[in-house]
Amino acid sequence: MQESTANQVAANATSSFTEHLQRDRPELLPFSRPLPGGASTAAPVQVPHATTIVAMSYGGGVLMAGDRRATMGNVIASRHIEKVFPADHFSVLGIAGTAGIAIDLTRLFQVELEHYEKIEGTQLSLEGKANRLGAMIRGNLPLALQGLAVVPLFAGFDISAGVGRLFSYDVTGGRYEEHEHHTVGSGSVFARGALKKLWRPNLNPEQALSVAVESLYDAADDDSATGGPDTVRQLWPVVYTVDRTGARRVPEAELAAASRSVIEARTIAGREA
């Protein structure tokens, strides 16, 4: 009986794990969960939200960084949340929006890419990964219209083209390739202003890290939902770089040094704003 069931599952397998769940176990999808009774667009459920993500290209790859704060209304829900994750060996994903759904969607996307590689025997192209993520975000649209939106950033190294690429999305799953840099989340308008001033072509990884920390610091300075580097708790942004060797999480020691450098420079400047 078990062998027969296993054979049936194998016979129905596709290269998309999400399609498999939609067909056989739709209740397991993050966006298939019903809202609690009484929830509506007029009075959305109070849940933790994740902000802010910044990403940029640099000479030889892309970098993505996220602060560590999650908020629930006017309350800090967490100071330790991680918002940037490796999607696979050559791509990373940053989440903004409803934290619980975003994290579940990230895990599903990671399994989606691993499943494709096992079924097809090769990695999905970066363009294909970006398209599949857009389809998954589109599946969350009913919840997004009720206030539970997920808006990620996706970045990776395009092996065939030999360059890093960056993609943004809207709540309908619309996918847009960004050039140079981009930000999402409640502090994005402030982080984007910093990136416009500080980013330049062909930054090296160390310079890109400094620019990312500086932009998150600016976002935290003006957006209460964004957490800046915390020297008391030793909390630093989560940062990944992706180049032709793969995705790499920047170690805590490097983040601490870059954060302290930004803080010291601003302390010496002695400016109020």
Side-chain angles (χ1 to χ4, degrees):
M1 180 68 176
Q2 290 181 346
E3 183 177 352
S4 175
T5 302
N7 290 338
Q8 183 178 1
V9 170
N12 293 334
T14 71
S15 62
S16 173
F17 185 73
T18 306
E19 287 180 6
H20 169 68
L21 288 184
Q22 286 173 333
R23 184 182 61 227
D24 296 333
R25 297 293 300 277
E27 73 279 3
L28 296 179
L29 291 169
F31 36 78
S32 294
R33 301 168 185 167
L35 285 176
S40 68
T41 53
V45 179
Q46 285 291 316
V47 294
H49 278 68
T51 57
T52 298
I53 307 297
V54 304
M56 72 192 78
S57 63
Y58 65 85
V62 288
L63 177 146
M64 186 176 293
D67 77 300
R68 305 293 297 274
R69 178 175 292 178
T71 57
M72 189 164 57
N74 65 328
V75 176
I76 296 176
S78 174
R79 292 183 175 89
H80 302 267
I81 189 172
E82 297 194 1
K83 307 172 189 177
V84 181
F85 306 89
D88 66 359
H89 187 59
F90 288 101
S91 61
V92 292
L93 178 68
I95 59 170
T98 307
I101 296 175
I103 291 172
D104 277 358
L105 189 143
T106 297
R107 291 170 179 158
L108 178 61
F109 185 55
Q110 290 169 333
V111 174
E112 175 83 5
L113 299 186
E114 184 178 353
H115 177 83
Y116 179 92
E117 187 173 348
K118 288 181 177 179
I119 295 295
E120 298 295 335
T122 185
Q123 284 193 343
L124 191 60
S125 68
L126 189 67
E127 193 93 15
K129 296 172 191 176
N131 288 338
R132 293 216 175 183
L133 179 58
M136 293 169 66
I137 297 166
R138 190 175 304 115
N140 189 59
L141 183 57
L143 290 183
L145 295 176
Q146 298 179 74
L148 301 177
V150 175
V151 184
L153 270 180
F154 178 64
F157 189 81
D158 191 326
I159 299 173
S160 60
V163 296
R165 299 171 66 187
L166 171 63
F167 300 89
S168 67
Y169 299 84
D170 61 33
V171 294
T172 68
R175 189 214 75 178
Y176 315 96
E177 183 163 6
E178 305 292 344
H179 302 280
E180 300 180 353
H181 51 76
H182 197 70
T183 68
V184 294
S186 66
S188 62
V189 63
F190 309 111
R192 187 175 297 120
L195 288 173
K196 285 182 177 181
K197 301 294 189 299
L198 299 172
W199 184 92
R200 63 182 186 274
N202 298 316
L203 293 169
N204 64 39
E206 292 76 20
Q207 291 169 330
L209 174 60
S210 178
V211 170
V213 173
E214 189 98 36
S215 64
L216 286 175
Y217 193 105
D218 272 4
D221 211 27
D222 289 300
D223 173 46
S224 62
T226 303
D230 191 331
T231 58
V232 175
R233 298 180 178 87
Q234 297 290 293
L235 290 174
W236 320 111
V238 175
V239 184
Y240 276 85
T241 59
V242 193
D243 57 22
R244 63 178 63 256
T245 65
R248 168 185 176 265
R249 179 164 178 163
V250 176
E252 293 282 300
E254 292 182 32
L255 292 168
S259 298
R260 289 194 174 101
S261 177
V262 169
I263 293 170
E264 288 171 5
R266 294 191 174 215
T267 301
I268 292 171
R271 295 172 58 191
E272 181 180 346

